[in-house]
Amino acid sequence: GRVDCMDVKFPYCVVATGGSENERQILIYNLNANPAQPERILNQTPATPGTSPLAKPLKKQYRCLEIFPNVSGFAVASIEGRCSIQYFTQDNIPNNFAFKCHRDKNTKLIYSVNSLAFHTQFGTFASAGSDGLYNFWDKDSKQRLKASNTIKLPNNEPAPITSSAFSANGNLYAYSVSYDWSKGAAANPAQNINTIMIHRTTESEVKPKKYSGVVGRRY
């Protein structure tokens, strides 16, 4: 299948492929071992979700993928408004989980997750999507740390965020606003919306927090 997204942080390379149901899989390469052959392939669809260490993390097309700063695992997201946290070692595989995001509870619309970016100091991460929103998440306590305001087009429709990244020290979060072609050529806005925006982060937005039952939204 075609490569839809990938990331490399030594000693791991993770590749997500697309295409048919059988072609859609995730290949995990250990570059210290045999870089020509994947160490593990996530391509199974178990009868009971989560029962197989080789199960596909998500059901629909993969859109973005990012390895953790400490290289203990990776996050992958899809067009169905879902993100999955996956670990490399067998001992941590039971801690794998997925959660819903970038969905409008009022309209019931589901948006693609277009970008994932990890904060190198704290290990928290950002997701950005076609709903014109970015969120900061703490994967360890399973809660949202920040939700942005929706970026809107002139017609009041959400302006998709197509890519994003934290600066090296994590005090800046940059993201690009552009049409992502999720609705085809007919929905391409006549007005040029290509923009790069920069958000200056605060520690309270990106630092992990212990779950108190009040702060943020649980997954």
Side-chain angles (χ1 to χ4, degrees):
R2 66 176 187 269
V3 174
D4 280 346
C5 51
M6 63 176 290
D7 192 22
V8 179
K9 285 187 178 69
F10 192 80
Y12 282 102
C13 171
V14 184
V15 180
T17 63
S20 67
E21 180 69 24
N22 292 331
E23 292 172 323
R24 193 167 59 249
Q25 55 191 6
I26 290 182
L27 300 94
I28 300 172
Y29 294 87
N30 187 332
L31 305 181
N32 266 335
N34 182 0
Q37 295 292 329
E39 181 179 78
R40 196 159 74 247
I41 301 177
L42 309 184
N43 65 349
Q44 296 180 3
T45 306
T48 304
T51 57
S52 168
L54 300 179
K56 292 180 181 178
L58 301 168
K59 295 180 180 179
K60 303 298 182 180
Q61 178 186 342
Y62 302 119
R63 192 69 179 83
C64 50
L65 186 154
E66 187 84 5
I67 296 175
F68 302 164
N70 66 3
V71 201
S72 63
F74 64 94
V76 62
S78 70
I79 62 171
E80 61 173 331
R82 284 182 183 270
C83 180
S84 178
I85 301 297
Q86 299 282 310
Y87 290 91
F88 290 132
T89 63
Q90 293 290 335
D91 291 344
N92 284 325
I93 284 177
N95 296 323
N96 294 349
F97 68 94
F99 63 97
K100 298 176 182 178
C101 54
H102 298 278
R103 298 179 175 212
D104 191 316
K105 293 182 179 179
N106 296 320
T107 64
K108 307 300 182 183
L109 291 175
I110 298 173
Y111 294 89
S112 170
V113 185
N114 295 328
S115 179
L116 297 169
F118 275 89
H119 192 285
T120 55
Q121 179 182 353
F122 295 122
T124 51
F125 71 100
S127 66
S130 296
D131 55 351
L133 286 167
Y134 65 83
N135 297 292
F136 294 165
W137 305 93
D138 179 0
K139 64 177 176 57
D140 297 322
S141 64
K142 298 183 179 179
Q143 64 177 314
R144 183 167 59 187
L145 303 174
K146 174 186 173 63
S148 73
N149 295 322
T150 304
I151 303 168
K152 295 292 186 70
L153 295 170
N155 63 2
N156 210 38
E157 288 289 314
I161 299 175
T162 53
S163 61
S164 67
F166 283 103
S167 61
N169 61 8
N171 65 350
L172 298 176
Y173 175 69
Y175 55 99
S176 63
V177 177
S178 178
Y179 185 56
D180 63 357
W181 298 96
S182 60
K183 296 181 180 179
N188 187 14
Q191 181 178 345
N192 184 4
I193 63 168
N194 298 337
T195 309
I196 294 177
M197 308 185 77
I198 297 177
H199 170 74
R200 186 173 294 277
T201 63
T202 63
E203 189 171 282
S204 62
E205 294 175 342
V206 294
K207 187 176 181 179
K209 298 176 182 176
K210 293 183 178 179
Y211 178 56
S212 64
V214 177
V215 178
R217 176 177 77 82
R218 296 283 282 176
Y219 290 172

